[in-house]
Amino acid sequence: RRRNDGLYVFNLGKTWEKLQMAARVICAIENPQDIAVLSARPYGQRAVLKFAQYTGSKTLPGRHTPGTFTNQITDKYEEPR
């Protein structure tokens, strides 16, 4: 939410609840190789690599190539689960 003076205000309670829900969803997946983590932003790429290192998931750092999950002809095709 944005205030009249231009500052953005975050509700940390809702943010924490959403993080907990995402963690529960990720923990419910039996095989960590079924998780694909993406980030195109330079600051997010390091976080993606660290997350994958600790969880054993697949990484797709850098620009997302269209058709990665849908086009079987491409070299970087990943089977969606």
Side-chain angles (χ1 to χ4, degrees):
R1 193 179 71 146
R2 186 175 177 204
R3 294 191 324 193
N4 292 336
D5 58 357
L7 292 176
Y8 288 92
V9 178
F10 295 102
N11 184 342
L12 292 179
K14 285 185 180 180
T15 304
W16 181 249
E17 288 174 7
K18 290 179 182 184
L19 279 172
Q20 285 181 323
M21 184 184 68
R24 286 189 196 112
V25 169
I26 291 171
C27 289
I29 298 173
E30 293 178 13
N31 186 4
Q33 287 292 322
D34 292 342
I35 301 171
V37 188
L38 314 163
S39 179
R41 302 270 180 177
Y43 296 111
Q45 291 177 12
R46 183 169 184 254
V48 163
L49 293 171
K50 290 283 186 178
F51 178 82
Q53 176 185 357
Y54 292 113
T55 60
S57 59
K58 295 179 189 175
T59 61
L60 299 169
R63 185 179 178 277
H64 171 70
T65 306
T68 302
F69 298 112
T70 56
N71 190 356
Q72 297 178 0
I73 299 171
T74 61
D75 294 334
K76 295 184 176 182
Y77 175 71
E78 295 286 337
E79 182 71 31
R81 307 237 331 119

